[in-house]
């Protein structure tokens, strides 16, 4: 029975919901009775909560936008991919292939995209690119290689022919797809006369977007060092990203060249850029470097990769590896070291500013005018030219040779085919490289494999990896450009040509023995080992995309 309410009893209050903002304010409002340390702790807690929510919100928003854009790119690229797959004919297995090999060859087609805007330049970086492409196509019959390049003025067949002529590498043209990029000028140094480092880095982002908007690959491999494309590709497409680093965009020793008193703005600019470089480098899941010098520096500047490895137990995936570039050492090591050589100083390097050809010319002028130079000593400069800037560079070097009075003693050989390069390596006595902190130096490897006595700058890969002692005995000479240095280039040339015949043969023999480490076979083994990791990651990413409802 319901008890009647008393006339003096107030009606029950309606339940109301208190806004979250009111609850937060009641929780964190200032309390004049609280101590200062208590108030600081409260506000720090509030700041942490708000910051966490903001970061989480930015993360969710970024992933959502990236997923939408990635789906759009895949739908846009679907027609091109379908056309490639329809024309794709898997290479026939060799006789005696194993059962596992047959299963591998019968699997679905996979597009491995190589981002290399200057694929037709004909330098050491291009040898790495085409060596990796060749090894990939030879080992994995189901793989198609897409090359993203800005060389819009050459046809695919011309590119393949140049690879054959320059590097003696046979490429299966039917399994190569060239994606032409129209915005390559965005990564050209001439486009950014100011803030060149930042300009080229940011310019690679729209260039990378142009690449993946024309063809979405299943694996993205950067072989030129455009690290700022990695977050774009990884976030939009959810595919594995690999980096073969020839030279870090910024290195730790660059900061030692600056004075904090007179160059503080530049120091701050480089520090900020180094942080940006560390962030974008963390999106590379497989990292390879071309030598010890690059390995040490990239491991230092890409410190965020190591943190991610520890945090997510992905050390196998994010482990840095040294993978020496492929060098044609087998044919060159057949050259007889006892055969008499001509008094020729040989330089093999692209005609770029950092190769410091002017130092070679100036020091050679000092040497050739001294009594130590043999009669009719010649300097031969072999290299490729990529653009008008390189052509201008060659013209200026010719003028410098004339000013130094050695015009008749210097020969420029441009865009030489590999057979011509081998002829010079067979006859020359000394090979020279003057670049400061040369990242590796494929040309120097060719010197040693051919039995030349190498004279290189005391820095970078030539000093750390190539011109190193064998059985505690020298294989060449290191010189310094410091006026207070122990040995200049001219002095090193004098010592090289003053060796007796027996000493020269000993130097050449040791050099050839040392060059065996840089063979094409060793590169292929190392590259295929990394490629297996990439293909496993590709399968994982594909399953992940399908589970999320994204196009595969």
């Amino acid at each position: 029975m319901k008890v009647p309410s008393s006339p003096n009893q107030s009606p029950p209050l309606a339940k109301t919901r208190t806004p979250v903002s009111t609850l937060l304010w009641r929780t964190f409002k200032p309390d004049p009775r609280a101590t200062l340390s208590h108030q600081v702790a409260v506000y720090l807690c509030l700041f942490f909560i708000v910051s966490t929510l903001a970061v989480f919100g930015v993360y969710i928003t970024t992933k959502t936008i990236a997923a939408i854009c990635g789906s759009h790119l895949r739908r846009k690229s679907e027609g091109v991919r379908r056309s490639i797959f329809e024309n794709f004919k898997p290479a026939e297995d060799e006789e005696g292939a194993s059962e596992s090999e047959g299963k591998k060859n019968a699997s679905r087609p996979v597009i491995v995209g190589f981002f290399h805007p200057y694929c037709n330049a004909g330098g050491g970086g291009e040898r790495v690119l085409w060596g990796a492409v060749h090894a990939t196509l030879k080992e994995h019959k189901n793989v198609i290689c897409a090359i993203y390049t800005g060389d819009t003025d050459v046809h695919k067949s011309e590119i393949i022919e140049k690879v054959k002529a320059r590097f003696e590498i046979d490429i299966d043209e039917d399994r190569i797809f060239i994606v032409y990029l129209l915005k390559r000028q965005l990564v050209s140094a001439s486009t950014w006369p100011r803030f060149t480092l930042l300009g080229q880095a940011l310019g690679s982002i729209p260039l990378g977007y142009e690449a993946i908007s024309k063809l979405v690959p299943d694996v993205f491999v950067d072989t030129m060092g455009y690290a700022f494309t990695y977050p774009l590709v990884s976030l939009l497409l959810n595919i594995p990203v690999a980096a073969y680093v020839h030279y870090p965009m910024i290195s730790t020793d660059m900061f030692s060249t600056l004075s904090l008193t007179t160059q503080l703005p530049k120091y701050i600019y480089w520090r900020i850029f180094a942080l940006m470089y560390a962030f974008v480098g963390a999106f590379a899941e497989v990292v390879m470097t071309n030598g010890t010098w690059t390995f040490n520096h990239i491991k230092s500047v890409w410190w965020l990769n190591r943190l991610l490895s520890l945090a997510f137990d992905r050390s196998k995936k994010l482990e840095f590896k040294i993978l020496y570039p492929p060098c044609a050492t087998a044919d060159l090591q057949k050259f007889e070291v006892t055969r008499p050589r001509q008094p020729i100083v040989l330089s093999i390097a692209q005609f770029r500013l950092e190769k410091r050809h002017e130092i070679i010319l100036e020091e050679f002028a000092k040497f050739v005018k001294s009594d130590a130079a043999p009669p009719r000593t010649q300097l031969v400069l072999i290299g490729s030219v990529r653009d008008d800037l390189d052509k201008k560079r060659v013209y200026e070097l010719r003028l410098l040779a004339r000013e130094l009075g050695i015009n008749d003693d210097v020969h420029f050989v441009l865009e030489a085919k590999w057979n011509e390069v081998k002829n010079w390596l067979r006859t020359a006595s000394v090979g020279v490289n003057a670049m400061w902190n040369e990242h590796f130096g494929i040309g120097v490897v060719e010197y040693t494999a051919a039995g030349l006595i190498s004279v290189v700058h005391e820095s970078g890969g030539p000093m750390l990896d190539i011109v190193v002692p064998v059985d505690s005995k020298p294989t060449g000479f290191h010189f310094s450009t410091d006026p207070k240095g122990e040995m200049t280039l001219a002095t090193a040339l004098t010592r090289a040509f003053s060796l007796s015949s027996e000493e020269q043969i000993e130097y050449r023999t040791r050099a050839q023995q040392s060059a065996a480490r840089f063979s094409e076979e060793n590169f292929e083994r190392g590259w295929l080992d990394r490629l297996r990791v990439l293909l496993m990651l590709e399968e994982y990413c594909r399953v992940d995309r399908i589970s999320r409802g994204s196009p595969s």
Side-chain angles (χ1 to χ4, degrees):
M1 180 176 181
K2 186 176 181 181
V3 179
S5 59
S6 171
N8 297 328
Q9 185 177 353
S10 58
L13 296 174
K15 293 183 178 180
T16 58
R17 292 186 177 181
T18 306
V20 176
S21 58
T22 304
L23 292 175
L24 289 174
W25 170 249
R26 290 176 182 175
T27 304
F28 296 104
K29 68 179 180 180
D31 186 355
R33 295 171 297 177
T35 62
L36 178 61
S37 60
H38 176 74
Q39 292 185 20
V40 170
V42 169
Y43 282 116
L44 284 176
C45 183
L46 178 61
F47 174 77
F48 175 77
I49 293 174
V50 174
S51 300
T52 302
L53 291 174
V55 170
F56 185 72
V58 170
Y59 173 78
I60 294 298
T61 304
T62 303
K63 293 288 286 185
T64 303
I65 295 175
I68 295 173
C69 294
S71 298
H72 169 71
L73 288 174
R74 289 186 178 279
R75 285 192 295 268
K76 181 180 177 182
S77 180
E78 187 176 351
V80 180
R81 286 175 60 91
R82 188 184 301 114
S83 175
I84 293 174
F85 293 153
E86 288 175 354
N87 296 325
F88 170 63
K89 296 179 180 179
E92 295 181 358
D93 298 343
E94 296 180 0
E95 294 183 6
S98 65
E99 182 179 353
S100 59
E101 183 75 14
K103 290 180 179 179
K104 174 179 65 178
N105 294 337
S107 58
R108 62 183 175 81
V110 174
I111 297 178
V112 177
F114 290 86
F115 189 73
H116 203 106
Y118 293 91
C119 80
N120 201 42
E126 288 66 56
R127 179 181 281 277
V128 171
L129 165 67
W130 295 111
V133 170
H134 172 72
T136 301
L137 296 179
K138 184 174 69 172
E139 178 71 11
H140 297 277
K141 310 303 182 183
N142 64 310
V143 169
I144 302 166
C145 290
I147 314 297
Y148 299 99
T149 179
D151 296 305
T152 56
D153 56 337
V154 289
H155 189 266
K156 179 173 75 171
S157 59
E158 297 177 89
I159 295 175
I160 302 301
E161 288 174 6
K162 183 173 181 178
V163 171
K164 172 65 176 177
R166 176 67 182 90
F167 305 125
E168 287 195 341
I169 297 177
D170 288 311
I171 301 294
D172 184 357
E173 188 173 341
D174 294 334
R175 296 165 61 200
I176 294 291
F177 187 81
I178 303 294
V179 181
Y180 291 102
L181 307 177
L182 304 178
K183 300 177 182 177
R184 189 176 69 177
Q185 73 277 6
L186 293 176
V187 296
S188 174
S190 60
T191 306
W192 311 96
R194 302 284 182 182
F195 297 99
T196 306
L197 202 63
L198 182 62
Q200 288 182 294
L202 297 180
S204 67
I205 298 176
L207 184 65
Y209 184 81
E210 180 191 3
I212 61 177
S213 66
K214 290 184 174 180
L215 175 64
V216 172
D218 299 304
V219 176
F220 184 86
V221 181
D222 167 44
T223 49
M224 280 202 72
Y226 293 115
F228 280 69
T229 61
Y230 304 166
L232 177 78
V233 175
S234 181
L235 292 174
L236 294 187
L237 303 182
N238 188 17
I239 61 175
V241 174
Y244 188 96
V245 185
H246 296 273
Y247 199 89
M249 296 188 73
I250 192 165
S251 58
T252 51
D253 57 0
M254 290 173 62
F255 297 104
S256 62
T257 63
L258 300 178
S259 171
L260 292 179
T261 56
T262 60
Q263 296 176 295
L264 182 60
K266 191 171 186 179
Y267 179 85
I268 296 174
Y269 161 54
W270 279 3
R271 279 296 179 187
I272 294 174
F273 186 84
L275 290 174
M276 297 169 62
Y277 192 48
F279 172 75
V280 298
F283 287 86
E285 294 166 303
V286 172
V287 179
M288 297 158 280
T289 66
N290 63 347
T292 303
W293 185 90
T294 307
F295 175 84
N296 292 336
H297 283 278
I298 207 68
K299 194 172 183 179
S300 174
V301 296
W302 279 3
W303 50 268
L304 194 55
N305 294 61
R306 300 198 304 277
L307 290 182
L308 291 175
S309 299
L310 296 174
F312 298 104
D313 192 23
R314 301 192 301 175
S315 57
K316 289 185 178 180
K317 185 167 64 171
L318 294 175
E319 186 178 1
F320 293 77
K321 291 283 188 179
I322 295 177
L323 180 58
Y324 291 129
C327 305
T329 58
D331 287 345
L332 299 179
Q333 285 177 309
K334 296 176 183 177
F335 295 168
E336 292 290 340
V337 295
T338 56
R339 179 184 177 184
R341 302 285 184 118
Q342 298 180 18
I344 294 175
V345 178
L346 185 64
S347 168
I348 302 177
Q350 288 181 320
F351 288 101
R352 304 202 307 263
L353 184 63
E354 63 269 22
K355 297 300 182 179
R356 305 202 297 182
H357 286 93
E358 68 281 356
I359 292 179
I360 297 177
L361 289 172
E362 292 168 357
E363 293 295 309
F364 177 76
K366 296 177 184 177
F367 168 70
V368 79
K369 294 176 182 178
S370 68
D371 297 334
R376 298 185 299 278
T377 301
Q378 301 287 311
L379 172 63
V380 178
L381 303 174
I382 299 177
S384 58
V385 290
R386 302 170 301 173
D387 48 31
D388 292 338
L389 200 62
D390 289 352
K391 293 178 182 178
K392 180 183 177 183
R393 176 83 179 142
V394 173
Y395 175 74
E396 292 172 345
L397 291 173
R398 292 183 188 274
L399 290 180
L400 178 60
R402 188 177 296 275
E403 292 172 3
L404 294 171
I406 56 174
N407 188 51
D408 294 335
D409 302 318
V410 179
H411 300 281
F412 290 83
V413 182
L414 310 182
E415 303 295 343
K417 294 184 178 181
W418 179 236
N419 285 332
E420 185 178 1
V421 174
K422 286 197 295 185
N423 288 335
W424 285 111
L425 288 167
R426 185 182 288 108
T427 56
S429 296
V430 174
V432 64
N433 183 289
M435 182 174 171
W436 174 72
N437 276 342
E438 171 78 270
H439 43 277
F440 180 69
I442 288 182
V444 181
V445 174
E446 292 170 350
Y447 301 157
T448 58
L452 276 69
I453 298 174
S454 298
V455 176
V456 300
H457 189 262
E458 56 179 10
S459 65
M463 181 184 74
L464 296 174
D465 292 315
I466 307 173
V467 187
V468 295
V470 172
D471 297 331
S472 302
K473 296 181 180 179
T475 57
F477 297 91
H478 302 152
F479 72 88
S480 172
T481 51
D482 186 348
K484 299 179 182 179
E486 180 181 350
M487 186 183 303
T488 65
L489 175 53
T491 305
L493 290 175
T494 300
R495 292 193 181 183
F497 279 101
S498 63
L499 295 172
S500 65
S501 299
E502 292 77 12
E503 289 174 324
Q504 288 185 21
I505 292 175
E506 291 175 358
Y507 268 75
R508 301 184 198 284
T509 302
R510 291 193 293 267
Q512 282 193 334
Q513 293 173 355
S514 176
R517 298 171 292 140
F518 311 110
S519 67
E520 293 172 325
E521 292 76 18
N522 285 341
F523 171 81
E524 285 190 4
R525 281 193 293 270
W527 165 252
L528 292 175
D529 176 67
R530 297 289 86 195
L531 183 60
R532 289 188 198 97
V533 177
L534 287 171
L535 293 178
M536 286 190 293
L537 291 174
E538 187 275 331
E539 183 64 29
Y540 171 82
C541 291
R542 180 173 175 270
V543 172
D544 183 61
R545 290 195 306 271
I546 293 175
S547 66
R548 296 172 185 269
S550 301
S552 61

